Short mmCIF file of all heavy atoms in Angstrom, two decimals:
data_model
loop_
_atom_site.label_atom_id
_atom_site.label_comp_id
_atom_site.label_asym_id
_atom_site.label_seq_id
_atom_site.Cartn_x
_atom_site.Cartn_y
_atom_site.Cartn_z
N ASP D 267 66.62 96.84 88.59
CA ASP D 267 67.60 97.04 87.52
C ASP D 267 68.47 98.26 87.76
O ASP D 267 69.70 98.19 87.64
CB ASP D 267 66.86 97.22 86.19
CG ASP D 267 66.54 95.87 85.56
OD1 ASP D 267 66.94 94.85 86.17
OD2 ASP D 267 65.90 95.85 84.51
N THR D 268 67.84 99.38 88.03
CA THR D 268 68.60 100.62 88.17
C THR D 268 69.15 100.79 89.58
O THR D 268 70.03 101.61 89.81
CB THR D 268 67.70 101.84 87.87
OG1 THR D 268 66.54 101.73 88.71
CG2 THR D 268 67.28 101.86 86.42
N GLY D 269 68.58 100.07 90.53
CA GLY D 269 69.04 100.20 91.91
C GLY D 269 68.32 101.29 92.67
O GLY D 269 68.63 101.53 93.84
N TYR D 270 67.39 101.96 92.04
CA TYR D 270 66.58 102.96 92.75
C TYR D 270 65.31 103.14 91.94
O TYR D 270 65.11 102.47 90.91
CB TYR D 270 67.33 104.28 92.91
CG TYR D 270 67.60 105.01 91.62
CD1 TYR D 270 66.68 105.92 91.10
CD2 TYR D 270 68.76 104.74 90.90
CE1 TYR D 270 66.92 106.57 89.91
CE2 TYR D 270 69.01 105.38 89.71
CZ TYR D 270 68.09 106.29 89.21
OH TYR D 270 68.32 106.92 88.02
N SER D 271 64.45 104.07 92.34
CA SER D 271 63.17 104.21 91.69
C SER D 271 63.05 105.51 90.92
O SER D 271 63.22 106.60 91.49
CB SER D 271 62.06 104.11 92.75
OG SER D 271 60.93 104.85 92.36
N GLU D 272 62.74 105.41 89.64
CA GLU D 272 62.53 106.62 88.83
C GLU D 272 61.30 107.37 89.32
O GLU D 272 61.23 108.60 89.21
CB GLU D 272 62.37 106.26 87.35
CG GLU D 272 63.67 105.83 86.66
CD GLU D 272 64.72 106.94 86.56
OE1 GLU D 272 64.41 108.13 86.77
OE2 GLU D 272 65.90 106.61 86.30
N GLU D 273 60.34 106.63 89.85
CA GLU D 273 59.16 107.28 90.41
C GLU D 273 59.53 108.16 91.59
O GLU D 273 59.05 109.28 91.73
CB GLU D 273 58.14 106.24 90.89
CG GLU D 273 57.23 105.73 89.82
CD GLU D 273 56.37 104.60 90.36
OE1 GLU D 273 55.83 104.75 91.49
OE2 GLU D 273 56.29 103.56 89.68
N ASN D 274 60.39 107.60 92.47
CA ASN D 274 60.86 108.42 93.60
C ASN D 274 61.56 109.67 93.10
O ASN D 274 61.41 110.75 93.66
CB ASN D 274 61.82 107.62 94.49
CG ASN D 274 61.08 106.63 95.36
OD1 ASN D 274 59.87 106.73 95.53
ND2 ASN D 274 61.82 105.67 95.92
N TRP D 275 62.35 109.48 92.06
CA TRP D 275 63.11 110.61 91.52
C TRP D 275 62.16 111.69 91.01
O TRP D 275 62.36 112.89 91.27
CB TRP D 275 64.05 110.12 90.40
CG TRP D 275 65.10 111.12 90.03
CD1 TRP D 275 65.19 111.82 88.87
CD2 TRP D 275 66.23 111.53 90.83
NE1 TRP D 275 66.28 112.64 88.88
CE2 TRP D 275 66.94 112.49 90.07
CE3 TRP D 275 66.69 111.20 92.10
CZ2 TRP D 275 68.10 113.10 90.55
CZ3 TRP D 275 67.84 111.82 92.57
CH2 TRP D 275 68.52 112.75 91.80
N ALA D 276 61.14 111.25 90.31
CA ALA D 276 60.15 112.20 89.81
C ALA D 276 59.45 112.92 90.97
O ALA D 276 59.20 114.12 90.93
CB ALA D 276 59.12 111.46 88.95
N LYS D 277 59.18 112.14 92.01
CA LYS D 277 58.53 112.72 93.18
C LYS D 277 59.43 113.76 93.84
O LYS D 277 58.97 114.81 94.30
CB LYS D 277 58.20 111.60 94.16
CG LYS D 277 57.26 112.01 95.26
CD LYS D 277 56.66 110.81 95.95
CE LYS D 277 55.64 111.25 96.99
NZ LYS D 277 55.09 110.11 97.74
N MET D 278 60.72 113.46 93.89
CA MET D 278 61.68 114.40 94.48
C MET D 278 61.72 115.69 93.67
O MET D 278 61.87 116.79 94.22
CB MET D 278 63.07 113.79 94.54
CG MET D 278 63.20 112.68 95.58
SD MET D 278 64.86 111.97 95.61
CE MET D 278 64.64 110.65 96.81
N ALA D 279 61.61 115.55 92.35
CA ALA D 279 61.57 116.73 91.48
C ALA D 279 60.30 117.53 91.79
O ALA D 279 60.34 118.75 92.00
CB ALA D 279 61.60 116.31 90.02
N GLU D 280 59.21 116.81 91.84
CA GLU D 280 57.91 117.42 92.09
C GLU D 280 57.89 118.18 93.42
O GLU D 280 57.33 119.27 93.54
CB GLU D 280 56.90 116.28 92.12
CG GLU D 280 55.44 116.65 92.10
CD GLU D 280 54.62 115.38 92.30
OE1 GLU D 280 54.98 114.35 91.68
OE2 GLU D 280 53.68 115.42 93.11
N LEU D 281 58.49 117.59 94.43
CA LEU D 281 58.50 118.21 95.76
C LEU D 281 59.52 119.34 95.86
O LEU D 281 59.66 119.99 96.89
CB LEU D 281 58.79 117.16 96.83
CG LEU D 281 57.65 116.15 97.06
CD1 LEU D 281 58.15 114.93 97.83
CD2 LEU D 281 56.50 116.82 97.82
N GLY D 282 60.27 119.55 94.80
CA GLY D 282 61.22 120.66 94.77
C GLY D 282 62.57 120.33 95.39
O GLY D 282 63.43 121.19 95.53
N TRP D 283 62.78 119.06 95.75
CA TRP D 283 64.05 118.72 96.41
C TRP D 283 65.22 118.77 95.45
O TRP D 283 66.32 119.12 95.84
CB TRP D 283 63.96 117.33 97.05
CG TRP D 283 62.87 117.22 98.07
CD1 TRP D 283 62.17 118.24 98.65
CD2 TRP D 283 62.35 116.02 98.63
NE1 TRP D 283 61.24 117.75 99.53
CE2 TRP D 283 61.33 116.38 99.54
CE3 TRP D 283 62.64 114.66 98.47
CZ2 TRP D 283 60.61 115.45 100.29
CZ3 TRP D 283 61.93 113.73 99.19
CH2 TRP D 283 60.91 114.12 100.10
N LEU D 284 64.96 118.38 94.21
CA LEU D 284 66.07 118.40 93.24
C LEU D 284 66.48 119.84 92.94
O LEU D 284 67.63 120.12 92.61
CB LEU D 284 65.66 117.68 91.95
CG LEU D 284 65.17 116.23 92.10
CD1 LEU D 284 64.99 115.59 90.73
CD2 LEU D 284 66.14 115.40 92.94
N ALA D 285 65.54 120.75 93.06
CA ALA D 285 65.81 122.16 92.78
C ALA D 285 66.38 122.90 93.99
O ALA D 285 66.87 124.02 93.88
CB ALA D 285 64.52 122.86 92.35
N LEU D 286 66.33 122.23 95.14
CA LEU D 286 66.59 122.91 96.41
C LEU D 286 67.86 123.77 96.40
O LEU D 286 67.82 124.96 96.73
CB LEU D 286 66.67 121.86 97.54
CG LEU D 286 66.83 122.40 98.96
CD1 LEU D 286 65.61 123.23 99.37
CD2 LEU D 286 67.06 121.27 99.95
N SER D 287 68.97 123.17 96.01
CA SER D 287 70.25 123.88 96.13
C SER D 287 70.59 124.66 94.86
O SER D 287 71.58 125.39 94.84
CB SER D 287 71.36 122.89 96.44
OG SER D 287 71.43 121.93 95.39
N LEU D 288 69.79 124.49 93.81
CA LEU D 288 70.14 125.11 92.53
C LEU D 288 69.67 126.57 92.51
O LEU D 288 68.73 126.93 93.21
CB LEU D 288 69.53 124.30 91.38
CG LEU D 288 69.90 122.80 91.38
CD1 LEU D 288 69.27 122.08 90.21
CD2 LEU D 288 71.42 122.60 91.38
N PRO D 289 70.31 127.41 91.67
CA PRO D 289 69.99 128.85 91.69
C PRO D 289 68.61 129.15 91.11
O PRO D 289 68.16 128.48 90.18
CB PRO D 289 71.09 129.48 90.82
CG PRO D 289 71.83 128.37 90.19
CD PRO D 289 71.39 127.08 90.73
N GLU D 290 68.00 130.16 91.66
CA GLU D 290 66.65 130.50 91.25
C GLU D 290 66.56 130.86 89.77
O GLU D 290 65.59 130.53 89.09
CB GLU D 290 66.12 131.65 92.12
CG GLU D 290 65.95 131.24 93.57
CD GLU D 290 65.49 132.39 94.46
OE1 GLU D 290 64.33 132.82 94.31
OE2 GLU D 290 66.30 132.86 95.29
N GLU D 291 67.62 131.53 89.27
CA GLU D 291 67.55 131.96 87.87
C GLU D 291 67.55 130.79 86.88
O GLU D 291 67.25 130.97 85.71
CB GLU D 291 68.72 132.90 87.55
CG GLU D 291 70.06 132.32 87.95
CD GLU D 291 71.20 133.35 87.83
OE1 GLU D 291 71.28 134.00 86.79
OE2 GLU D 291 71.98 133.45 88.79
N TYR D 292 67.91 129.61 87.38
CA TYR D 292 67.89 128.44 86.49
C TYR D 292 66.87 127.39 86.95
O TYR D 292 67.10 126.19 86.84
CB TYR D 292 69.28 127.82 86.38
CG TYR D 292 70.31 128.76 85.82
CD1 TYR D 292 71.27 129.35 86.63
CD2 TYR D 292 70.32 129.08 84.44
CE1 TYR D 292 72.21 130.24 86.11
CE2 TYR D 292 71.26 129.96 83.92
CZ TYR D 292 72.20 130.54 84.76
OH TYR D 292 73.13 131.40 84.23
N GLY D 293 65.81 127.88 87.50
CA GLY D 293 64.75 126.93 87.88
C GLY D 293 64.94 126.31 89.25
O GLY D 293 64.21 125.39 89.62
N GLY D 294 65.93 126.81 89.99
CA GLY D 294 66.16 126.25 91.32
C GLY D 294 65.48 127.05 92.41
O GLY D 294 64.70 127.98 92.14
N ILE D 295 65.80 126.67 93.65
CA ILE D 295 65.18 127.33 94.80
C ILE D 295 66.19 128.19 95.55
O ILE D 295 65.84 129.02 96.37
CB ILE D 295 64.56 126.26 95.73
CG1 ILE D 295 63.41 125.54 95.00
CG2 ILE D 295 64.05 126.84 97.04
CD1 ILE D 295 62.76 124.43 95.78
N GLY D 296 67.46 127.98 95.24
CA GLY D 296 68.50 128.81 95.84
C GLY D 296 68.72 128.55 97.32
O GLY D 296 69.06 129.44 98.09
N GLY D 297 68.55 127.30 97.72
CA GLY D 297 68.72 126.93 99.13
C GLY D 297 70.18 126.95 99.56
O GLY D 297 71.10 126.98 98.74
N SER D 298 70.37 126.93 100.87
CA SER D 298 71.72 126.98 101.45
C SER D 298 72.22 125.56 101.72
O SER D 298 71.46 124.59 101.66
CB SER D 298 71.65 127.73 102.78
OG SER D 298 70.93 126.93 103.71
N PRO D 299 73.51 125.45 102.05
CA PRO D 299 74.02 124.13 102.47
C PRO D 299 73.22 123.56 103.65
O PRO D 299 73.04 122.34 103.72
CB PRO D 299 75.47 124.42 102.87
CG PRO D 299 75.85 125.62 102.06
CD PRO D 299 74.60 126.44 101.94
N VAL D 300 72.74 124.42 104.53
CA VAL D 300 71.97 123.91 105.67
C VAL D 300 70.66 123.28 105.19
O VAL D 300 70.21 122.27 105.74
CB VAL D 300 71.70 125.02 106.71
CG1 VAL D 300 70.78 124.52 107.81
CG2 VAL D 300 73.01 125.50 107.32
N ASP D 301 70.06 123.84 104.13
CA ASP D 301 68.86 123.21 103.58
C ASP D 301 69.18 121.80 103.07
O ASP D 301 68.47 120.84 103.34
CB ASP D 301 68.30 124.06 102.43
CG ASP D 301 67.84 125.44 102.91
OD1 ASP D 301 67.37 125.52 104.06
OD2 ASP D 301 67.96 126.40 102.15
N THR D 302 70.27 121.72 102.32
CA THR D 302 70.69 120.41 101.83
C THR D 302 70.97 119.47 103.00
O THR D 302 70.63 118.28 102.97
CB THR D 302 71.95 120.55 100.95
OG1 THR D 302 71.63 121.39 99.84
CG2 THR D 302 72.43 119.20 100.44
N MET D 303 71.58 120.00 104.03
CA MET D 303 71.86 119.21 105.24
C MET D 303 70.58 118.60 105.81
O MET D 303 70.54 117.40 106.14
CB MET D 303 72.54 120.09 106.28
CG MET D 303 72.80 119.39 107.60
SD MET D 303 73.41 120.56 108.86
CE MET D 303 71.86 121.14 109.54
N VAL D 304 69.55 119.41 105.91
CA VAL D 304 68.28 118.93 106.47
C VAL D 304 67.77 117.74 105.64
O VAL D 304 67.37 116.70 106.17
CB VAL D 304 67.24 120.06 106.48
CG1 VAL D 304 65.85 119.53 106.81
CG2 VAL D 304 67.65 121.14 107.48
N LEU D 305 67.83 117.91 104.34
CA LEU D 305 67.39 116.86 103.42
C LEU D 305 68.24 115.60 103.55
O LEU D 305 67.74 114.48 103.69
CB LEU D 305 67.48 117.42 101.99
CG LEU D 305 66.88 116.59 100.88
CD1 LEU D 305 65.40 116.91 100.75
CD2 LEU D 305 67.58 116.95 99.55
N MET D 306 69.54 115.79 103.54
CA MET D 306 70.46 114.64 103.55
C MET D 306 70.37 113.87 104.86
O MET D 306 70.53 112.66 104.88
CB MET D 306 71.90 115.12 103.32
CG MET D 306 72.20 115.55 101.91
SD MET D 306 71.99 114.26 100.65
CE MET D 306 73.32 113.14 101.08
N GLU D 307 70.15 114.58 105.95
CA GLU D 307 70.03 113.87 107.22
C GLU D 307 68.85 112.91 107.18
O GLU D 307 68.96 111.76 107.61
CB GLU D 307 69.86 114.87 108.37
CG GLU D 307 69.78 114.18 109.72
CD GLU D 307 69.58 115.15 110.87
OE1 GLU D 307 70.03 116.30 110.76
OE2 GLU D 307 68.96 114.75 111.88
N GLU D 308 67.74 113.39 106.62
CA GLU D 308 66.57 112.51 106.54
C GLU D 308 66.79 111.39 105.53
O GLU D 308 66.32 110.27 105.73
CB GLU D 308 65.31 113.31 106.22
CG GLU D 308 64.95 114.36 107.27
CD GLU D 308 64.85 113.79 108.69
OE1 GLU D 308 64.35 112.65 108.84
OE2 GLU D 308 65.28 114.47 109.63
N PHE D 309 67.48 111.69 104.43
CA PHE D 309 67.85 110.62 103.50
C PHE D 309 68.69 109.57 104.24
O PHE D 309 68.55 108.37 104.00
CB PHE D 309 68.63 111.18 102.32
CG PHE D 309 67.78 111.84 101.26
CD1 PHE D 309 68.37 112.45 100.15
CD2 PHE D 309 66.39 111.85 101.35
CE1 PHE D 309 67.60 113.05 99.16
CE2 PHE D 309 65.60 112.46 100.37
CZ PHE D 309 66.22 113.06 99.27
N GLY D 310 69.56 110.03 105.10
CA GLY D 310 70.36 109.10 105.89
C GLY D 310 69.49 108.25 106.78
O GLY D 310 69.68 107.04 106.89
N ARG D 311 68.52 108.87 107.42
CA ARG D 311 67.61 108.11 108.29
C ARG D 311 66.85 107.05 107.50
O ARG D 311 66.50 106.00 108.03
CB ARG D 311 66.62 109.03 108.99
CG ARG D 311 67.24 109.95 110.04
CD ARG D 311 66.16 110.67 110.85
NE ARG D 311 65.42 109.75 111.67
CZ ARG D 311 65.66 109.53 112.97
NH1 ARG D 311 66.62 110.18 113.58
NH2 ARG D 311 64.96 108.66 113.63
N GLY D 312 66.59 107.33 106.23
CA GLY D 312 65.83 106.38 105.42
C GLY D 312 66.70 105.46 104.58
O GLY D 312 66.19 104.60 103.90
N LEU D 313 68.00 105.64 104.62
CA LEU D 313 68.91 104.91 103.73
C LEU D 313 68.46 105.03 102.28
O LEU D 313 68.40 104.04 101.54
CB LEU D 313 68.97 103.43 104.13
CG LEU D 313 69.81 103.06 105.36
CD1 LEU D 313 69.73 101.54 105.57
CD2 LEU D 313 71.27 103.47 105.18
N VAL D 314 68.15 106.25 101.89
CA VAL D 314 67.63 106.52 100.55
C VAL D 314 68.71 106.24 99.50
O VAL D 314 69.87 106.61 99.69
CB VAL D 314 67.16 107.99 100.48
CG1 VAL D 314 66.89 108.42 99.04
CG2 VAL D 314 65.91 108.17 101.34
N VAL D 315 68.34 105.56 98.43
CA VAL D 315 69.33 105.12 97.44
C VAL D 315 69.31 105.92 96.14
O VAL D 315 70.10 105.66 95.24
CB VAL D 315 69.15 103.62 97.11
CG1 VAL D 315 69.49 102.75 98.31
CG2 VAL D 315 67.73 103.32 96.63
N GLU D 316 68.42 106.89 96.02
CA GLU D 316 68.37 107.68 94.80
C GLU D 316 69.65 108.52 94.68
O GLU D 316 70.25 108.91 95.68
CB GLU D 316 67.13 108.58 94.78
CG GLU D 316 65.86 107.89 94.27
CD GLU D 316 65.33 106.82 95.21
OE1 GLU D 316 65.60 106.94 96.43
OE2 GLU D 316 64.69 105.85 94.74
N PRO D 317 70.02 108.84 93.42
CA PRO D 317 71.35 109.45 93.19
C PRO D 317 71.40 110.96 93.47
O PRO D 317 71.89 111.72 92.64
CB PRO D 317 71.61 109.15 91.72
CG PRO D 317 70.25 109.05 91.11
CD PRO D 317 69.34 108.50 92.16
N TYR D 318 70.90 111.37 94.63
CA TYR D 318 70.86 112.79 94.95
C TYR D 318 72.27 113.37 95.08
O TYR D 318 72.57 114.43 94.55
CB TYR D 318 70.08 112.99 96.25
CG TYR D 318 69.68 114.43 96.48
CD1 TYR D 318 68.50 114.94 95.97
CD2 TYR D 318 70.50 115.29 97.20
CE1 TYR D 318 68.13 116.27 96.15
CE2 TYR D 318 70.15 116.62 97.39
CZ TYR D 318 68.97 117.11 96.87
OH TYR D 318 68.62 118.41 97.05
#
Side-chain angles (χ1 to χ4, degrees):
Chain D
D267 275 358
T268 53
Y270 67 90
S271 151
E272 287 295 346
E273 275 174 45
N274 283 344
W275 194 249
K277 192 164 185 183
M278 289 179 184
E280 192 186 318
L281 290 164
W283 301 346
L284 304 188
L286 185 64
S287 59
L288 305 181
E290 294 177 69
E291 52 189 312
Y292 300 105
I295 295 177
S298 69
V300 174
D301 296 327
T302 300
M303 177 188 88
V304 170
L305 189 86
M306 287 299 292
E307 182 181 330
E308 298 307 323
F309 281 177
R311 291 189 68 98
L313 283 180
V314 168
V315 293
E316 275 69 27
Y318 195 88

